[in-house]
């Protein structure tokens, strides 16, 4: 059985937009889990917006993670949910022709579920293996070209830089 309760609110204060929410999830196996999220944006003008956000999410183990047993894999019924907290800061520009965004982020993962196999194991098994800290930068730009050429209606480009530091458990 799974029950989710969610509440959110958005407030407009001048050029600021403030949004937040809380989610409570309950299931028979993992009991109650509380997650949250919040965003603050500042509209510098009609085209330029600065934003920041912080969110905490979770993922419960799947049936396969918990119970699957096959020729090369074995699940783990003692798995805990994994949790991730993400922080993001950036800027968005939108006009009739051009839209672009730049954002930096930091993502802290805890009790991440992974399939592992040591040199002495014969099967892959699931564990709450590690904590994973990820940070990076996203860049994107999109140009509407349909008013300039009938051949290409738009053009977009995206770039992401991602780096991770794994803080492993006792399985190293």
């Amino acid at each position: 059985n799974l029950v989710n309760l969610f509440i959110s609110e958005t407030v407009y204060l001048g050029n600021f937009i403030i949004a937040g929410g809380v989610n409570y999830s309950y299931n028979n196996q993992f009991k109650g889990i509380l997650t949250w999220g919040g965003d603050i944006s500042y509209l510098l003008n009609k085209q330029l917006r600065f934003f920041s956000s912080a969110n905490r999410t979770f993922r419960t183990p799947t049936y396969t993670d918990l119970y699957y047993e096959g020729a090369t894999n074995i699940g783990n019924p003692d798995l805990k949910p994994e949790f991730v907290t993400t922080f993001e800061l950036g800027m968005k520009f939108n006009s009739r022709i051009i839209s672009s965004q730049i954002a930096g982020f930091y993502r802290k993962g805890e009790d991440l579920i992974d399939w592992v196999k040591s040199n002495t194991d014969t099967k892959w098994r699931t564990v709450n293996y590690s904590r994973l800290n990820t940070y990076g930068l996203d860049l994107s730009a999109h140009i509407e070209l349909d008013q300039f050429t009938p051949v290409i209606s738009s053009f977009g480009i995206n770039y992401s830089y991602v780096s991770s530091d794994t803080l492993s458990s006792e399985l190293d």
Side-chain angles (χ1 to χ4, degrees):
N1 293 334
L2 175 65
V3 174
N4 278 306
L5 300 172
F6 180 76
I7 186 168
S8 68
E9 181 64 36
T10 301
V11 177
Y12 299 88
L13 297 171
N15 289 352
F16 284 95
I17 302 170
I18 303 167
V22 176
N23 184 74
Y24 177 78
S25 297
Y26 179 89
N27 76 28
N28 293 346
Q29 186 168 3
F30 299 109
K31 306 304 178 207
I33 297 174
L34 187 68
T35 56
W36 49 266
D39 306 288
I40 298 175
S41 294
Y42 179 76
L43 306 171
L44 190 62
N45 56 45
K46 291 181 180 181
Q47 297 175 323
L48 190 59
R49 174 169 59 117
F50 297 95
F51 66 91
S52 64
S53 67
N55 301 283
R56 177 131 171 112
T57 61
F58 76 99
R59 180 180 81 87
T60 57
T62 65
Y63 180 86
T64 301
D65 293 334
L66 293 167
Y67 306 113
Y68 178 77
E69 188 166 348
T72 59
N73 302 62
I74 187 166
N76 178 355
D78 296 323
L79 289 175
K80 301 179 287 188
E82 64 181 37
F83 289 88
V84 174
T85 305
T86 304
F87 302 94
E88 185 177 30
L89 184 65
M91 177 178 65
K92 291 182 181 181
F93 175 82
N94 288 304
S95 72
R96 205 176 100 246
I97 298 171
I98 298 171
S99 62
S100 62
Q101 175 176 317
I102 182 170
F105 63 89
Y106 172 71
R107 180 179 187 263
K108 179 183 176 185
E110 303 169 47
D111 290 326
L112 298 179
I113 299 167
D114 201 359
W115 290 88
V116 298
K117 180 179 155 191
S118 71
N119 292 336
T120 58
D121 288 339
T122 58
K123 292 185 177 188
W124 291 88
R125 59 190 171 97
T126 51
V127 294
N128 290 108
Y129 177 57
S130 61
R131 293 177 295 161
L132 181 66
N133 295 329
T134 304
Y135 54 92
L137 182 69
D138 288 325
L139 303 167
S140 66
H142 183 88
I143 302 171
E144 294 295 330
L145 298 171
D146 52 357
Q147 64 184 350
F148 304 111
T149 176
V151 180
I152 301 172
S153 64
S154 65
F155 175 79
I157 188 167
N158 300 298
Y159 173 78
S160 292
Y161 169 79
V162 178
S163 181
S164 297
D165 299 322
T166 304
L167 306 170
S168 301
S169 70
E170 69 281 349
L171 296 173
D172 290 336

